[in-house]
Amino acid sequence: MKQWWRRWTYEVPLAIGGALWEVLVVQLAALLDRLTVRKVIAFIPVAIIVLAYYHRIPIPPELILVGDFLAYIDIFSVLILLGVLSRAATILFAVKQAAAGIAAFASNVASRLQRLDVRHRRQRSASRPHRKPARTEDDRAFGGAWDQVAIA
């Protein structure tokens, strides 16, 4: 009888307490370590549906739509991301076109300013230097038809 009393007053409550500790503390802590914001957001529609089917609390349809939005948040986020990327591509194209236009304008302005350069004007009284003729006087003696024969 003493063995039976010891088992039911000492060992069984310790076993139940150990099991409760394992489930309520250790496993719950492990679950909370693995918990992410995405899992919490995915659980919100489930909670809304449970509240909606619990007939004592009326749930407005807007809250149900919010729950649906949260349930499909991955799909909505991809659609929003694609929309943003397409706008970013359009903006990038417009910026590229504007940059090309500005570069063309700057080069056009630079070339026109070089043509209208007033800093290095020639003085009218200065004479131009004379160019040397392309042929020397020895080459001029042969004449047009005999040039190739004389050089060879």
Side-chain angles (χ1 to χ4, degrees), residues 20-35:
L20 286 175
W21 176 265
E22 175 70 26
V23 171
L24 296 176
V25 176
V26 176
Q27 289 182 4
L28 183 62
L31 175 74
L32 291 176
D33 281 342
R34 292 187 313 264
L35 191 63

Side-chain angles (χ1 to χ4, degrees), residues 37-50:
V37 174
R38 185 177 176 147
K39 287 181 181 178
V40 170
I41 290 174
F43 182 72
I44 291 173
V46 174
I48 290 174
I49 289 173
V50 168

Side-chain angles (χ1 to χ4, degrees), residues 67 71 116:
L116 298 175

Side-chain angles (χ1 to χ4, degrees), residues 90-106:
T90 304
I91 290 170
L92 183 64
F93 177 73
V95 167
K96 267 180 156 177
Q97 292 288 68
I102 289 171
F105 178 74

Side-chain angles (χ1 to χ4, degrees), residues 1 18 32-33 84 112 118 131 140:
M1 183 74 174
L32 291 176
D33 281 342
V84 167
R112 287 184 185 231
V118 293
R131 284 188 172 183
R140 288 188 190 163

